[in-house]
């Protein structure tokens, strides 16, 4: 039977109100408990109180809040991609371009694509920073130790490490023993 929501059953309206109350209560608890993600909270609120289909769509504050979230997330992803441009792959860049394209017509889709682009870009940066990510960890640790100077190469004749103190200190190795 139609209800006060323009042809939407009363039971569905009640269920939506209860869900919105639960989401708002959860956001309120996060605010009191300590650090929270303000954009994530706003995203959950917008989705929880979204207009009922068939009642006029998104109007007013909700559409502005949804667009604000999408624009902020897209800008953050774009900043991350441009900062780490050498390490970010084509998939993350494509997702970001699509998110930018959808900012006006579909902020919800733009938000989701921008978050996905940021996740992919972060993954690309992690892999780029550790080229041995797919190999066993000891190999990656050893490579990092050598590059960081913790482990140094030795001369071919078994002498002291090549880079430790330079050629002017090689004579001191005998006196340190």
């Amino acid at each position: 039977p139609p209800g006060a929501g323009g042809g939407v059953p009363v039971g569905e309206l009640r269920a939506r109100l209860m869900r919105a109350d639960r989401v708002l209560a959860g956001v309120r608890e996060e605010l009191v408990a300590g650090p929270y993600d303000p954009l994530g909270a706003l995203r959950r609120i917008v989705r929880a109180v979204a207009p009922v289909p068939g009642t006029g769509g998104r109007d007013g504050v909700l559409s502005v809040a949804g667009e604000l979230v999408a624009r902020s997330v897209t800008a953050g992803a774009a900043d991350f991609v441009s900062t780490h441009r050498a390490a970010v792959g084509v998939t993350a860049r494509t997702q970001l371009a699509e998110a930018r394209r959808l900012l006006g017509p579909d902020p919800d889709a733009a938000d989701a694509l921008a978050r996905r682009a940021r996740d992919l870009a972060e993954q690309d940066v992690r892999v780029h920073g550790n080229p041995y990510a797919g190999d066993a960890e000891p190999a990656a640790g050893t490579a990092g130790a050598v590059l960081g100077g913790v482990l140094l190469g030795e001369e071919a004749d078994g002498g002291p490490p090549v880079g430790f103190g330079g050629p002017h200190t090689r004579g001191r190795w005998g006196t340190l023993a």
Side-chain angles (χ1 to χ4, degrees), residues 5-160:
V8 179
V10 173
E12 183 179 345
L13 291 175
R14 284 188 184 134
R16 285 175 162 265
L17 285 172
M18 289 173 51
R19 180 176 183 278
D21 283 344
R22 283 192 309 272
V23 169
L24 291 172
V27 168
R28 204 173 8 249
E29 286 177 20
E30 286 180 19
L31 290 171
V32 172
Y36 72 100
D37 174 18
L39 288 177
L42 185 57
R43 181 182 301 117
R44 289 194 313 275
I45 291 169
V46 167
R47 289 183 181 150
V49 297
V52 176
T55 61
R58 294 185 127 176
D59 288 37
V61 172
L62 289 178
S63 63
V64 171
E67 191 171 333
L68 172 70
V69 169
R71 287 192 182 282
S72 180
V73 171
T74 304
D79 287 347
F80 188 87
V81 167
S82 67
T83 299
H84 302 283
R85 62 185 165 269
V88 176
V90 69
T91 306
R93 292 175 188 278
T94 303
Q95 297 273 322
L96 179 59
E98 184 65 10
R100 285 178 168 158
R101 188 184 72 75
L102 292 173
L103 271 176
D106 191 352
D108 289 338
D111 175 37
L113 283 169
R115 284 186 288 136
R116 177 77 177 134
R118 172 77 183 245
D119 290 344
L120 289 170
E122 287 176 355
Q123 183 180 10
D124 289 345
V125 168
R126 283 191 301 273
V127 169
H128 184 76
N130 184 3
Y132 303 102
D135 295 344
E137 280 301 314
T142 303
V146 169
L147 290 173
V150 176
L151 300 177
L152 300 170
E154 295 182 1
E155 287 186 358
D157 65 355

